[in-house]
Amino acid sequence: AQSVTQLGSHVSVSEGALVLLRCNYSSSVPPYLFWYVQYPNQGLQLLLKYTSAATLVKGINGFEAEFKKSETSFHLTKPSAHMRDAAEYFCAVSPGGYQKVTFGTGTKLQVIP
Amino acid sequence: DADVTQTPRNRITKTGKRIMLECSQTKGHDRMYWYRQDPGLGLRLIYYSFDVKDINKGEISDGYSVSRQAQAKFSLSLESAIPNQTALYFCATSDFNRELAGMYQETQYFGPGTRLLVL
């Protein structure tokens, strides 16, 4: 069985501040991990994915995430928040194949001017 | 033009009615998926299809059916809608790199969603 926990359903940061969105997972096999972003009234867009090639994964829009096996974490970070980053972010885990993916409950990011 | 389109974008229906949500894609992908999104629950998989002849149930398929009319089209039906099917529904497609089948090489693309309200 696999699961994903996103800590904090809402996160607020000031424009220009560090963004840190937390994701912890459990998986009985080496996992594939994903971060998606959902802008208002839009579908999900893949930000980045971890497939065991490198523990630090760089994605679009300046986001990156680091896979830490010892902590079972895959936190999403961005050094400097921009107003356009305001959206909902979903972490997801899979043992392989999107038919087996489990999504987290999402974290809404608010960016304060 | 969008690669994955969904129609309608919004729908209000009554309990007991049959409705169909449609999804079309121009990406040429074999794999297609239907999810529902509920506040605080994330996304949950309803059905998925690896090709026109291969359709499979996801984790919450009860009360739903699907039809894969062509590689590009994957429809979701609610045979008799009920209020707890009120949700945001997403279609998605994914590619799959057969040459790198030893490693998971697949990216998923989502449509804009259909907001369904069942009264």
Side-chain angles (χ1 to χ4, degrees):
Chain A
Q2 59 194 26
S3 66
V4 173
T5 302
Q6 291 185 240
L7 299 176
S9 58
H10 291 81
V11 170
S12 294
V13 300
S14 299
E15 190 173 16
L18 172 71
V19 176
L20 171 61
L21 304 183
R22 299 178 186 274
C23 174
N24 288 89
Y25 70 91
S26 68
S27 177
S28 57
V29 298
Y32 296 95
L33 294 158
F34 310 86
W35 275 101
Y36 286 88
V37 60
Q38 184 179 26
Y39 298 104
N41 299 314
Q42 294 186 27
L44 276 72
Q45 179 181 4
L46 183 67
L47 267 179
L48 49 84
K49 62 179 178 181
Y50 166 75
T51 58
S52 78
T55 57
L56 182 63
V57 183
K58 294 186 182 298
I60 61 173
N61 301 338
F63 284 92
E64 63 182 36
E66 186 173 8
F67 172 68
K68 292 187 176 180
K69 184 177 179 180
S70 61
E71 300 177 7
T72 62
S73 69
F74 191 57
H75 301 331
L76 182 70
T77 61
K78 181 175 180 177
S80 177
H82 193 279
M83 296 299 296
R84 62 175 174 260
D85 296 327
E88 189 162 17
Y89 292 80
F90 292 90
C91 182
V93 63
S94 170
Y98 280 106
Q99 72 277 19
K100 304 174 188 176
V101 70
T102 299
F103 284 86
T105 54
T107 298
K108 287 188 176 179
L109 176 66
Q110 179 186 23
V111 181
I112 303 168
Chain B
D1 290 338
D3 295 319
V4 184
T5 58
Q6 292 183 235
T7 56
R9 293 294 311 278
N10 294 278
R11 179 75 183 269
I12 300 173
T13 191
K14 295 182 179 180
T15 297
K17 294 292 187 180
R18 181 182 188 276
I19 65 166
M20 179 182 290
L21 309 183
E22 299 186 342
C23 176
S24 294
Q25 53 115 345
T26 58
K27 301 189 76 66
H29 293 163
D30 287 327
R31 299 185 172 194
M32 298 187 73
Y33 306 79
W34 275 105
Y35 293 90
R36 64 177 281 175
Q37 182 181 19
D38 298 276
L41 295 179
L43 272 73
R44 292 179 291 168
L45 183 62
I46 305 172
Y47 271 94
Y48 62 97
S49 170
F50 281 176
D51 64 38
V52 175
K53 297 180 180 179
D54 182 11
I55 294 176
N56 304 278
K57 293 182 178 181
E59 63 179 298
I60 55 163
S61 60
D62 288 348
Y64 301 94
S65 63
V66 291
S67 173
R68 186 80 184 266
Q69 300 95 325
Q71 184 200 42
K73 295 184 181 297
F74 192 36
S75 300
L76 176 71
S77 293
L78 286 67
E79 298 301 326
S80 179
I82 56 177
N84 75 1
Q85 291 178 312
T86 293
L88 185 55
Y89 290 85
F90 287 103
C91 174
T93 73
S94 71
D95 56 8
F96 182 72
N97 190 329
R98 300 181 191 280
E99 294 178 356
L100 296 174
M103 282 188 65
Y104 181 51
Q105 294 290 343
E106 190 173 358
T107 298
Q108 201 169 41
Y109 302 86
F110 283 81
T114 294
R115 193 173 296 277
L116 175 65
L117 173 61
V118 183
L119 301 176

Coordinates of all heavy atoms in Angstrom, one line a residue, chain A residues 25-107:
Chain A
Y25 N 5.7 10.4 2.2 CA 5.1 9.3 1.5 C 5.4 8.0 2.2 O 6.3 7.9 3.1 CB 5.6 9.2 0.1 CG 7.1 8.8 0.0 CD1 7.4 7.4 -0.1 CD2 8.1 9.7 0.1 CE1 8.7 7.0 -0.1 CE2 9.4 9.3 0.1 CZ 9.7 7.9 0.0 OH 11.0 7.5 0.0
S26 N 4.6 7.0 1.9 CA 4.9 5.7 2.3 C 4.7 4.8 1.1 O 3.7 5.0 0.4 CB 4.0 5.2 3.5 OG 2.7 5.1 3.1
S27 N 5.6 3.9 0.9 CA 5.5 3.0 -0.2 C 6.2 1.7 0.1 O 7.3 1.7 0.7 CB 6.1 3.6 -1.5 OG 6.1 2.8 -2.6
S28 N 5.7 0.6 -0.3 CA 6.3 -0.7 0.0 C 7.4 -1.0 -1.1 O 8.2 -2.0 -0.9 CB 5.3 -1.8 0.0 OG 4.6 -1.8 -1.3
V29 N 7.5 -0.2 -2.1 CA 8.5 -0.4 -3.2 C 9.1 0.9 -3.4 O 8.6 2.0 -3.1 CB 7.9 -1.0 -4.4 CG1 7.3 -2.4 -4.2 CG2 6.9 -0.1 -5.0
P30 N 10.3 0.9 -4.1 CA 10.9 2.2 -4.4 C 9.9 3.1 -5.2 O 9.4 2.6 -6.2 CB 12.1 1.8 -5.3 CG 12.5 0.5 -4.7 CD 11.2 -0.2 -4.4
P31 N 9.6 4.3 -4.8 CA 8.5 5.0 -5.4 C 8.9 5.9 -6.5 O 10.1 6.3 -6.6 CB 8.0 5.8 -4.2 CG 9.3 6.2 -3.5 CD 10.2 5.0 -3.6
Y32 N 7.9 6.2 -7.3 CA 8.0 7.4 -8.2 C 7.2 8.5 -7.6 O 6.1 8.2 -7.1 CB 7.5 7.0 -9.6 CG 8.3 5.9 -10.3 CD1 7.9 4.6 -10.2 CD2 9.4 6.2 -11.0 CE1 8.6 3.6 -10.8 CE2 10.2 5.3 -11.6 CZ 9.8 3.9 -11.6 OH 10.5 3.0 -12.2
L33 N 7.7 9.7 -7.6 CA 7.1 10.8 -6.9 C 6.8 11.9 -7.8 O 7.7 12.2 -8.7 CB 7.9 11.2 -5.7 CG 8.0 10.2 -4.6 CD1 9.3 10.4 -3.7 CD2 6.8 10.2 -3.7
F34 N 5.8 12.6 -7.6 CA 5.4 13.7 -8.5 C 4.9 14.9 -7.7 O 4.3 14.8 -6.6 CB 4.2 13.3 -9.4 CG 4.4 12.0 -10.1 CD1 4.1 10.8 -9.5 CD2 4.9 11.9 -11.4 CE1 4.2 9.6 -10.1 CE2 5.1 10.7 -12.0 CZ 4.7 9.5 -11.4
W35 N 5.1 16.1 -8.3 CA 4.4 17.3 -7.8 C 3.6 17.9 -9.0 O 4.2 18.0 -10.1 CB 5.4 18.3 -7.3 CG 5.7 18.2 -5.9 CD1 6.9 17.6 -5.4 CD2 5.0 18.6 -4.7 NE1 6.8 17.7 -4.0 CE2 5.7 18.2 -3.6 CE3 3.7 19.2 -4.6 CZ2 5.2 18.5 -2.3 CZ3 3.3 19.5 -3.3 CH2 4.0 19.1 -2.2
Y36 N 2.3 18.2 -8.8 CA 1.5 18.8 -9.7 C 1.1 20.2 -9.2 O 0.9 20.4 -8.0 CB 0.2 18.0 -10.0 CG 0.5 16.8 -10.8 CD1 0.8 15.6 -10.2 CD2 0.3 16.8 -12.2 CE1 1.0 14.4 -11.0 CE2 0.5 15.6 -13.0 CZ 0.8 14.5 -12.3 OH 1.0 13.3 -13.1
V37 N 0.8 21.1 -10.1 CA 0.2 22.4 -9.8 C -1.2 22.6 -10.5 O -1.3 22.1 -11.6 CB 1.1 23.6 -10.1 CG1 1.4 23.6 -11.6 CG2 0.6 24.9 -9.7
Q38 N -2.1 23.1 -9.7 CA -3.4 23.4 -10.3 C -3.7 24.9 -10.1 O -4.0 25.3 -9.0 CB -4.5 22.5 -9.7 CG -5.9 22.7 -10.3 CD -6.9 21.8 -9.6 OE1 -6.8 21.4 -8.5 NE2 -7.9 21.5 -10.4
Y39 N -3.8 25.6 -11.2 CA -4.2 27.0 -11.2 C -5.7 27.1 -11.2 O -6.4 26.2 -11.6 CB -3.6 27.8 -12.3 CG -2.0 27.8 -12.3 CD1 -1.3 27.0 -13.2 CD2 -1.3 28.6 -11.4 CE1 0.1 27.0 -13.2 CE2 0.0 28.6 -11.4 CZ 0.7 27.8 -12.2 OH 2.1 27.7 -12.2
P40 N -6.2 28.2 -10.7 CA -7.7 28.3 -10.6 C -8.4 28.0 -11.9 O -8.0 28.5 -13.0 CB -7.9 29.7 -10.2 CG -6.7 30.1 -9.4 CD -5.6 29.3 -10.1
N41 N -9.4 27.1 -11.9 CA -10.2 26.8 -13.0 C -9.4 26.1 -14.1 O -9.8 26.2 -15.3 CB -10.9 28.0 -13.6 CG -11.8 28.6 -12.6 OD1 -12.6 27.9 -11.9 ND2 -11.7 29.9 -12.4
Q42 N -8.4 25.4 -13.8 CA -7.6 24.7 -14.7 C -7.3 23.3 -14.3 O -7.5 23.0 -13.1 CB -6.2 25.4 -15.0 CG -6.4 26.8 -15.7 CD -5.0 27.4 -16.0 OE1 -4.0 26.6 -16.3 NE2 -4.9 28.7 -16.1
G43 N -6.8 22.5 -15.2 CA -6.4 21.1 -14.8 C -5.1 21.1 -14.2 O -4.4 22.1 -14.0
L44 N -4.7 19.9 -13.8 CA -3.4 19.7 -13.2 C -2.3 19.8 -14.2 O -2.4 19.2 -15.3 CB -3.3 18.4 -12.4 CG -3.9 18.4 -11.0 CD1 -5.4 18.5 -11.0 CD2 -3.4 17.2 -10.2
Q45 N -1.1 20.3 -13.8 CA 0.0 20.4 -14.7 C 1.2 19.8 -13.9 O 1.4 20.2 -12.8 CB 0.3 21.8 -15.1 CG 1.5 22.1 -15.9 CD 1.7 23.5 -16.3 OE1 1.0 24.4 -15.8 NE2 2.7 23.8 -17.1
L46 N 2.0 18.9 -14.6 CA 3.1 18.3 -13.9 C 4.2 19.4 -13.7 O 4.7 20.0 -14.6 CB 3.6 17.2 -14.8 CG 4.8 16.4 -14.2 CD1 4.3 15.6 -12.9 CD2 5.4 15.4 -15.2
L47 N 4.6 19.5 -12.4 CA 5.7 20.4 -12.1 C 7.1 19.7 -12.3 O 8.0 20.2 -12.8 CB 5.6 20.9 -10.7 CG 4.9 22.2 -10.4 CD1 4.9 22.4 -8.9 CD2 5.6 23.3 -11.1
L48 N 7.1 18.5 -11.7 CA 8.4 17.7 -11.7 C 8.0 16.3 -11.3 O 7.0 16.0 -10.7 CB 9.4 18.3 -10.8 CG 9.1 18.7 -9.4 CD1 9.1 17.5 -8.4 CD2 10.0 19.8 -8.9
K49 N 9.0 15.4 -11.5 CA 8.8 14.0 -11.1 C 10.1 13.4 -10.8 O 11.2 13.7 -11.4 CB 8.1 13.1 -12.1 CG 8.8 13.0 -13.5 CD 8.0 12.1 -14.4 CE 8.7 12.0 -15.8 NZ 7.8 11.2 -16.7
Y50 N 10.1 12.5 -9.8 CA 11.3 11.7 -9.4 C 11.2 10.3 -9.8 O 10.2 9.6 -9.5 CB 11.4 11.8 -7.9 CG 12.4 10.8 -7.3 CD1 13.8 11.0 -7.5 CD2 12.0 9.6 -6.7 CE1 14.7 10.0 -7.0 CE2 12.9 8.7 -6.3 CZ 14.2 8.9 -6.4 OH 15.1 7.9 -6.0
T51 N 12.2 9.8 -10.6 CA 12.1 8.5 -11.1 C 13.4 7.7 -10.8 O 13.8 6.8 -11.5 CB 11.9 8.5 -12.6 OG1 12.9 9.2 -13.3 CG2 10.5 9.1 -12.9
S52 N 14.1 8.1 -9.8 CA 15.3 7.5 -9.2 C 16.6 7.9 -10.0 O 17.7 7.4 -9.7 CB 15.2 6.0 -9.2 OG 15.4 5.4 -10.5
A53 N 16.5 8.7 -11.0 CA 17.7 9.1 -11.7 C 18.6 10.1 -10.9 O 19.8 10.0 -10.9 CB 17.3 9.8 -13.0
A54 N 17.9 11.0 -10.1 CA 18.7 11.9 -9.3 C 17.8 12.3 -8.1 O 16.6 12.5 -8.3 CB 19.1 13.2 -10.1
T55 N 18.4 12.5 -7.0 CA 17.6 12.8 -5.8 C 17.1 14.3 -5.8 O 16.0 14.5 -5.2 CB 18.3 12.6 -4.5 OG1 19.5 13.3 -4.5 CG2 18.7 11.1 -4.4
L56 N 17.8 15.2 -6.4 CA 17.3 16.6 -6.6 C 16.7 16.7 -8.0 O 17.4 16.6 -9.0 CB 18.5 17.5 -6.3 CG 18.1 19.0 -6.4 CD1 17.1 19.3 -5.3 CD2 19.3 19.9 -6.3
V57 N 15.5 17.1 -8.0 CA 14.7 17.1 -9.2 C 14.4 18.6 -9.5 O 13.8 19.2 -8.6 CB 13.5 16.3 -9.2 CG1 12.8 16.3 -10.6 CG2 13.8 14.8 -8.8
K58 N 14.7 19.1 -10.7 CA 14.3 20.4 -11.0 C 13.1 20.4 -12.0 O 13.0 19.5 -12.9 CB 15.5 21.1 -11.7 CG 16.7 21.4 -10.8 CD 17.8 22.2 -11.4 CE 18.9 22.3 -10.5 NZ 18.6 23.1 -9.2
G59 N 12.2 21.3 -11.7 CA 11.0 21.3 -12.5 C 10.8 22.6 -13.2 O 11.7 23.4 -13.3
I60 N 9.5 22.9 -13.6 CA 9.2 24.1 -14.3 C 9.0 25.2 -13.3 O 8.8 25.0 -12.1 CB 8.0 23.9 -15.2 CG1 6.8 23.6 -14.3 CG2 8.2 22.9 -16.3 CD1 5.5 23.6 -15.1
N61 N 9.1 26.5 -13.8 CA 8.8 27.7 -13.0 C 9.7 27.9 -11.8 O 9.3 28.5 -10.8 CB 7.3 27.7 -12.6 CG 6.4 27.6 -13.7 OD1 6.7 28.0 -14.9 ND2 5.2 27.1 -13.5
G62 N 10.9 27.3 -11.8 CA 11.9 27.5 -10.8 C 11.7 26.6 -9.6 O 12.4 26.8 -8.6
F63 N 10.8 25.7 -9.6 CA 10.6 24.7 -8.5 C 11.5 23.6 -8.6 O 12.0 23.2 -9.6 CB 9.1 24.2 -8.5 CG 8.1 25.2 -8.0 CD1 7.5 26.0 -8.9 CD2 7.8 25.3 -6.7 CE1 6.5 26.9 -8.5 CE2 6.9 26.2 -6.2 CZ 6.2 27.0 -7.2
E64 N 11.8 23.0 -7.4 CA 12.6 21.8 -7.3 C 12.2 21.0 -6.1 O 11.5 21.6 -5.2 CB 14.1 22.1 -7.3 CG 14.6 22.9 -6.1 CD 16.1 23.1 -6.2 OE1 16.6 23.4 -7.3 OE2 16.7 23.1 -5.1
A65 N 12.5 19.8 -6.1 CA 12.2 18.9 -4.9 C 13.3 17.9 -4.7 O 14.0 17.5 -5.7 CB 10.9 18.1 -5.2
E66 N 13.5 17.6 -3.5 CA 14.6 16.6 -3.1 C 14.0 15.4 -2.5 O 13.2 15.4 -1.5 CB 15.6 17.3 -2.2 CG 16.8 16.4 -1.9 CD 17.8 17.1 -1.1 OE1 17.6 18.2 -0.6 OE2 18.9 16.5 -0.9
F67 N 14.4 14.3 -3.1 CA 13.9 13.0 -2.5 C 14.9 12.6 -1.4 O 16.1 12.5 -1.6 CB 14.0 11.9 -3.6 CG 13.8 10.5 -3.2 CD1 12.5 10.1 -2.7 CD2 14.8 9.6 -3.2 CE1 12.3 8.8 -2.3 CE2 14.6 8.3 -2.7 CZ 13.3 7.9 -2.3
K68 N 14.3 12.4 -0.2 CA 15.1 11.9 0.9 C 14.5 10.6 1.5 O 13.5 10.6 2.2 CB 15.1 13.0 2.0 CG 15.9 14.3 1.6 CD 16.0 15.2 2.8 CE 16.8 16.4 2.5 NZ 16.9 17.4 3.6
K69 N 15.2 9.5 1.1 CA 14.7 8.2 1.5 C 14.6 8.0 3.0 O 13.6 7.5 3.5 CB 15.5 7.1 0.8 CG 15.0 5.7 1.1 CD 15.9 4.7 0.4 CE 15.4 3.3 0.6 NZ 16.3 2.3 -0.1
S70 N 15.6 8.5 3.7 CA 15.7 8.3 5.1 C 14.6 9.0 5.8 O 14.1 8.6 6.9 CB 17.0 8.8 5.7 OG 17.2 10.2 5.4
E71 N 14.1 10.1 5.2 CA 13.0 10.9 5.8 C 11.6 10.6 5.2 O 10.6 11.2 5.5 CB 13.3 12.4 5.8 CG 14.6 12.8 6.5 CD 14.9 14.2 6.4 OE1 14.1 15.0 5.8 OE2 16.0 14.6 6.8
T72 N 11.7 9.7 4.2 CA 10.5 9.5 3.3 C 9.8 10.8 2.9 O 8.6 10.9 3.1 CB 9.5 8.5 4.0 OG1 9.0 9.1 5.2 CG2 10.1 7.2 4.3
S73 N 10.6 11.7 2.4 CA 10.0 13.0 2.1 C 10.4 13.4 0.7 O 11.3 12.9 0.1 CB 10.6 14.1 3.1 OG 11.9 14.3 2.9
F74 N 9.6 14.3 0.2 CA 9.8 14.8 -1.2 C 9.2 16.2 -1.2 O 8.2 16.6 -1.8 CB 9.0 13.9 -2.2 CG 9.4 14.2 -3.7 CD1 10.7 14.2 -4.1 CD2 8.4 14.5 -4.6 CE1 11.0 14.4 -5.4 CE2 8.7 14.8 -5.9 CZ 10.0 14.8 -6.3
H75 N 9.8 17.1 -0.4 CA 9.4 18.5 -0.3 C 9.6 19.3 -1.5 O 10.7 19.2 -2.1 CB 10.0 19.1 1.0 CG 9.8 18.4 2.2 ND1 8.6 17.7 2.5 CD2 10.5 18.3 3.4 CE1 8.7 17.1 3.7 NE2 9.8 17.5 4.3
L76 N 8.7 20.2 -1.8 CA 8.8 21.1 -2.9 C 9.3 22.5 -2.5 O 8.8 23.0 -1.5 CB 7.5 21.3 -3.6 CG 7.4 22.1 -4.9 CD1 8.1 21.4 -6.0 CD2 5.9 22.4 -5.2
T77 N 10.3 23.0 -3.2 CA 10.8 24.3 -2.8 C 11.0 25.3 -4.0 O 11.1 24.8 -5.1 CB 12.2 24.2 -2.1 OG1 13.1 23.6 -3.0 CG2 12.1 23.4 -0.8
K78 N 11.0 26.6 -3.7 CA 11.3 27.6 -4.7 C 11.9 28.7 -3.9 O 11.4 29.2 -2.9 CB 10.1 28.0 -5.4 CG 10.4 29.1 -6.5 CD 9.1 29.4 -7.3 CE 9.5 30.5 -8.4 NZ 8.3 30.8 -9.3
P79 N 13.1 29.2 -4.3 CA 13.8 30.2 -3.5 C 13.0 31.5 -3.3 O 13.1 32.1 -2.3 CB 15.1 30.4 -4.3 CG 15.2 29.2 -5.2 CD 13.8 28.8 -5.5
S80 N 12.3 31.9 -4.3 CA 11.6 33.2 -4.3 C 10.2 33.2 -4.9 O 10.1 32.9 -6.1 CB 12.5 34.3 -5.0 OG 11.8 35.5 -5.0
A81 N 9.2 33.3 -4.0 CA 7.9 33.2 -4.5 C 7.4 34.4 -5.4 O 7.8 35.5 -5.1 CB 6.9 33.1 -3.3
H82 N 6.6 34.1 -6.4 CA 6.1 35.1 -7.2 C 4.6 35.0 -7.1 O 4.0 34.0 -6.8 CB 6.5 34.8 -8.7 CG 6.3 36.0 -9.6 ND1 5.1 36.2 -10.2 CD2 7.1 37.0 -10.0 CE1 5.1 37.3 -10.9 NE2 6.3 37.8 -10.9
M83 N 3.9 36.1 -7.4 CA 2.5 36.2 -7.3 C 1.8 35.1 -8.2 O 0.8 34.5 -7.8 CB 1.9 37.5 -7.7 CG 2.3 38.7 -6.8 SD 1.7 38.4 -5.1 CE 0.0 38.5 -5.4
R84 N 2.4 34.8 -9.3 CA 1.8 33.8 -10.2 C 2.0 32.4 -9.7 O 1.4 31.4 -10.3 CB 2.5 33.9 -11.6 CG 4.0 33.5 -11.6 CD 4.5 33.5 -13.0 NE 6.0 33.3 -13.0 CZ 6.8 34.3 -13.1 NH1 6.4 35.6 -13.4 NH2 8.1 34.1 -13.1
D85 N 2.7 32.2 -8.6 CA 2.8 30.8 -8.0 C 1.6 30.5 -7.1 O 1.5 29.3 -6.7 CB 4.1 30.8 -7.1 CG 5.3 30.9 -7.9 OD1 5.4 30.5 -9.1 OD2 6.3 31.5 -7.4
A86 N 0.7 31.4 -6.9 CA -0.5 31.1 -6.1 C -1.3 30.1 -6.8 O -1.8 30.3 -7.9 CB -1.3 32.4 -5.9
A87 N -1.5 29.0 -6.2 CA -2.2 27.8 -6.8 C -2.3 26.7 -5.8 O -1.9 26.9 -4.6 CB -1.4 27.3 -8.0
E88 N -2.9 25.6 -6.2 CA -2.9 24.4 -5.3 C -1.9 23.4 -5.8 O -1.8 23.2 -7.0 CB -4.3 23.8 -5.3 CG -4.5 22.8 -4.2 CD -5.9 22.5 -3.8 OE1 -6.8 22.8 -4.6 OE2 -6.1 21.8 -2.8
Y89 N -1.2 22.8 -4.9 CA -0.1 21.9 -5.3 C -0.4 20.5 -4.7 O -0.8 20.4 -3.5 CB 1.2 22.4 -4.7 CG 1.7 23.7 -5.4 CD1 1.1 24.9 -5.0 CD2 2.6 23.7 -6.5 CE1 1.5 26.1 -5.7 CE2 3.0 24.9 -7.1 CZ 2.4 26.1 -6.7 OH 2.8 27.2 -7.4
F90 N -0.2 19.5 -5.6 CA -0.5 18.2 -5.2 C 0.8 17.3 -5.3 O 1.4 17.3 -6.3 CB -1.6 17.5 -6.1 CG -2.9 18.1 -5.9 CD1 -3.3 19.2 -6.7 CD2 -3.8 17.6 -5.0 CE1 -4.6 19.8 -6.5 CE2 -5.1 18.1 -4.8 CZ -5.5 19.2 -5.6
C91 N 1.0 16.6 -4.3 CA 2.1 15.6 -4.3 C 1.4 14.2 -4.6 O 0.3 14.0 -4.2 CB 2.8 15.5 -2.9 SG 4.2 14.4 -2.8
A92 N 2.2 13.4 -5.3 CA 1.6 12.1 -5.7 C 2.7 11.0 -5.7 O 3.9 11.3 -5.9 CB 0.9 12.1 -7.0
V93 N 2.3 9.8 -5.4 CA 3.3 8.7 -5.4 C 2.7 7.5 -6.2 O 1.5 7.3 -6.3 CB 3.5 8.2 -3.9 CG1 2.2 7.7 -3.2 CG2 4.6 7.2 -3.8
S94 N 3.7 6.8 -6.8 CA 3.3 5.6 -7.5 C 4.4 4.6 -7.5 O 5.6 4.9 -7.6 CB 3.0 6.0 -9.0 OG 2.8 4.8 -9.8
P95 N 4.1 3.3 -7.4 CA 5.1 2.3 -7.6 C 5.5 2.1 -9.1 O 6.4 1.4 -9.4 CB 4.4 1.0 -7.0 CG 3.0 1.2 -7.3 CD 2.7 2.7 -7.2
G96 N 4.7 2.7 -9.9 CA 5.0 2.6 -11.4 C 3.7 2.6 -12.1 O 2.8 1.8 -11.9
G97 N 3.4 3.5 -13.0 CA 2.2 3.6 -13.8 C 1.2 4.5 -13.2 O 0.9 4.5 -12.0
Y98 N 0.6 5.3 -14.0 CA -0.4 6.3 -13.5 C -1.7 5.6 -13.0 O -2.4 6.2 -12.2 CB -0.7 7.3 -14.5 CG 0.3 8.4 -14.6 CD1 1.2 8.4 -15.7 CD2 0.5 9.4 -13.6 CE1 2.2 9.4 -15.8 CE2 1.4 10.4 -13.7 CZ 2.3 10.4 -14.8 OH 3.2 11.3 -14.9
Q99 N -1.9 4.4 -13.4 CA -3.1 3.7 -12.8 C -2.9 3.4 -11.4 O -3.9 3.0 -10.7 CB -3.4 2.4 -13.7 CG -2.4 1.3 -13.4 CD -1.2 1.4 -14.2 OE1 -0.8 2.5 -14.7 NE2 -0.5 0.3 -14.4
K100 N -1.7 3.5 -10.9 CA -1.5 3.2 -9.5 C -1.1 4.4 -8.7 O -0.7 4.3 -7.5 CB -0.3 2.2 -9.4 CG -0.6 0.9 -10.2 CD 0.6 0.0 -10.2 CE 0.5 -1.1 -11.2 NZ 1.7 -1.9 -11.2
V101 N -1.3 5.6 -9.2 CA -0.8 6.8 -8.5 C -1.8 7.1 -7.4 O -3.0 7.0 -7.5 CB -0.7 8.0 -9.5 CG1 -2.0 8.4 -10.0 CG2 0.1 9.1 -8.9
T102 N -1.3 7.6 -6.3 CA -2.1 8.1 -5.2 C -1.7 9.6 -4.9 O -0.5 9.9 -4.8 CB -1.7 7.3 -3.9 OG1 -2.1 5.9 -4.1 CG2 -2.5 7.8 -2.7
F103 N -2.7 10.4 -4.9 CA -2.6 11.8 -4.8 C -2.7 12.2 -3.3 O -3.5 11.7 -2.6 CB -3.6 12.6 -5.6 CG -3.3 12.6 -7.1 CD1 -3.7 11.6 -7.9 CD2 -2.6 13.7 -7.6 CE1 -3.4 11.6 -9.3 CE2 -2.3 13.7 -9.0 CZ -2.8 12.7 -9.8
G104 N -2.0 13.3 -2.9 CA -2.2 13.9 -1.6 C -3.4 14.8 -1.7 O -4.0 14.9 -2.8
T105 N -3.8 15.4 -0.6 CA -5.0 16.2 -0.5 C -4.8 17.6 -0.9 O -5.8 18.4 -1.0 CB -5.6 16.1 0.9 OG1 -4.5 16.6 1.8 CG2 -6.0 14.7 1.3
G106 N -3.6 18.0 -1.2 CA -3.3 19.3 -1.8 C -3.0 20.3 -0.8 O -3.4 20.3 0.4
T107 N -2.1 21.3 -1.2 CA -1.8 22.5 -0.4 C -2.0 23.7 -1.2 O -1.5 23.8 -2.3 CB -0.3 22.4 0.0 OG1 -0.1 21.3 0.9 CG2 0.1 23.7 0.8

